[in-house]
Amino acid sequence: MNAEPHDAPIAPDEPTTTADVPPKRRGWFGRRSGWVKALIMLGVLVVLVSSGVAGGAYLLVNRYENKVDRAALLPSAPAEEAARSKQNWESGALNLLLLGSDSRATEPGGTSPIGERSDTIMLVHIARDRDKATIISIPRDSYVEVPAGGSWKGGKNKINAAFAFGGAALTATTVQKLTGIPLDGAMIANFASIRDLVDAVGGVEVCVPYDVKSTFSDREWKQGCHAMDGAIAEEFMRQRYNVPGGDFGRIRNQQLVVQAVISKVARNNLLYKPLELDTLLGIAADSLTVDQSLDLRDLVFAVRDIRPRNITYATVPYTSAGLKTPAGTAVKLDDQAAAEMFAAVRDDTIDRWLADNPPREPGS
């Protein structure tokens, strides 16, 4: 039931990906797991403003805002929906779309071409009380209804096909159709390496809930806590064949490393080391494209009372990772459980729903 979904073409002309080839280093944040940068930036903002230095956070946002690329990542919203979103930013729960792309064609400051995959699709839910956040991964191979857009005429496909056919806007439309959740903002990041980031914070301790054996070396991580430098963390995050749940296990491993980095940032008082903080936020800002309507100062205000320990990670429930489809082997979402999860997000009760329906570990 939890067999790993095989990668299959999402469009006849899709270029071959080299995502599983060990990437060459390109300095800090190299070129892998770009969504990690977005989560780290969000986590650093949370740490910063929740440590009683919100004024400093506003100064940092002003400093880095001109480094963040802007684009129309969300489709045009009807007037009523736009007004509701404005109200959400003032006093309601917020839902942001976070995308990670594996494009190898773009250069810093360039635009992302249609045709790249969306390797990671996440919903970031910020509670109405602004005291907690939930980050929900939507499996990239989920077989869903993808509305017409670009060269796609509409119909069932893997959800990451939406990005290939119509970019972030079609992905956002697909996510909204799947979840029934209006989106209040969006961010996208290209793939990048985390190894130098981990080294910059002096390494991390990652607690693994299952055994993982590397396919790139003889290294093995038994259930328990492990000290990792950047190279080891990168190797750990790239595992997908000898990890429970396959691609779901890799998602979980990435979450574990992100949590460890955010925790280390908080424990090391990085906030009071201006040069390190400046480097981290500057590079993260350089790597991100943010929806043209998203005000970063509003985002700082929204997360100022969230403590890092109150960021929860989850994955949309599924029943099979081996669904046979015209698009190749795909993930069959659990329609009932997923609908309940999405309803809980809309009702801002996702924390209670997750408590009643604890996520299973990959492979369980």
Side-chain angles (χ1 to χ4, degrees):
M1 182 165 114
N2 291 329
E4 179 189 3
H6 301 289
D7 287 329
I10 55 176
D13 58 351
E14 181 189 329
T16 300
T17 178
T18 57
D20 289 318
V21 176
K24 295 180 181 179
R25 293 188 64 176
R26 285 189 177 180
W28 214 4
F29 282 100
R31 51 185 266 182
R32 190 170 170 79
S33 296
W35 66 271
V36 172
K37 293 179 295 186
L39 285 187
I40 293 297
M41 189 174 186
L42 176 64
V44 170
L45 280 176
V46 168
V47 174
L48 184 66
V49 298
S50 66
S51 299
V53 287
Y58 277 97
L59 290 175
L60 284 170
V61 167
N62 288 331
R63 173 177 170 81
Y64 298 118
E65 187 164 24
N66 65 346
K67 293 187 176 185
V68 175
D69 287 336
R70 294 280 181 173
L73 303 182
L74 295 176
S76 298
E80 182 179 350
E81 187 176 311
R84 188 183 309 117
S85 182
K86 182 179 179 181
Q87 181 60 40
N88 288 343
W89 279 104
E90 293 174 357
S91 60
L94 294 166
N95 295 292
L96 310 177
L97 179 65
L98 176 57
L99 301 175
S101 165
D102 71 354
S103 172
R104 300 297 190 265
T106 56
E107 295 297 329
T111 56
S112 298
I114 300 301
E116 59 190 60
R117 289 189 181 192
S118 177
D119 182 81
T120 301
I121 303 172
M122 291 181 167
L123 275 174
V124 179
H125 176 78
I126 300 173
R128 181 181 293 108
D129 292 339
R130 303 291 196 262
D131 58 346
K132 52 187 170 293
T134 305
I135 299 173
I136 301 172
S137 295
I138 302 175
R140 63 182 182 176
D141 288 334
S142 300
Y143 198 59
V144 303
E145 185 72 25
V146 178
S151 61
W152 177 248
K153 299 186 183 303
K156 288 273 195 176
N157 208 326
K158 296 181 182 181
I159 196 168
N160 66 348
F163 201 91
F165 287 117
L170 183 57
T171 303
T173 300
T174 303
V175 169
Q176 289 183 128
K177 181 177 180 63
L178 171 68
T179 66
I181 300 169
L183 299 171
D184 301 296
M187 296 183 289
I188 184 172
N190 290 330
F191 272 101
S193 174
I194 195 176
R195 64 187 297 167
D196 292 334
L197 171 62
V198 172
D199 287 337
V201 298
V204 294
E205 183 179 60
V206 179
C207 295
V208 187
Y210 37 64
D211 294 348
V212 178
K213 183 175 175 57
S214 177
T215 56
F216 307 110
S217 71
D218 59 1
R219 188 169 283 117
E220 187 172 3
W221 298 273
K222 293 291 188 180
Q223 181 178 358
C225 296
H226 301 265
M228 298 185 185
D229 62 15
I232 293 175
E234 182 181 40
E235 182 178 352
F236 174 73
M237 291 175 67
R238 291 177 57 233
Q239 303 307 316
R240 62 184 303 191
Y241 295 112
N242 289 332
V243 59
D247 210 44
F248 293 93
R250 181 165 65 169
I251 289 173
R252 180 62 173 140
N253 291 350
Q254 292 170 342
Q255 293 172 348
L256 291 171
V257 173
V258 168
Q259 288 173 294
V261 171
I262 292 175
S263 176
K264 189 68 176 287
V265 167
R267 290 200 312 273
N268 277 8
N269 291 320
L270 183 61
L271 309 178
Y272 304 103
K273 299 176 182 177
L275 291 179
E276 294 178 37
L277 183 61
D278 181 74
T279 300
L280 173 61
L281 286 179
I283 295 175
D286 266 336
S287 71
L288 293 175
T289 299
V290 177
D291 184 66
Q292 57 191 9
S293 65
L294 180 59
D295 189 316
L296 293 181
R297 282 171 290 270
D298 287 344
L299 180 58
V300 168
F301 186 82
V303 302
R304 65 179 180 174
D305 292 324
I306 300 175
R307 301 300 186 264
R309 64 178 177 275
N310 291 332
I311 301 177
T312 303
Y313 299 85
T315 300
V316 177
Y318 67 99
T319 58
S320 172
L323 180 67
K324 303 301 180 183
T325 77
T329 305
V331 172
K332 174 68 172 70
L333 298 181
D334 185 327
D335 292 337
Q336 180 175 342
E340 292 175 357
M341 171 184 269
F342 299 146
V345 172
R346 293 193 299 271
D347 296 340
D348 195 29
T349 58
I350 184 61
D351 55 330
R352 294 203 295 272
W353 189 87
L354 288 173
D356 292 338
N357 302 271
R360 61 182 178 181
E361 290 294 348
S364 64

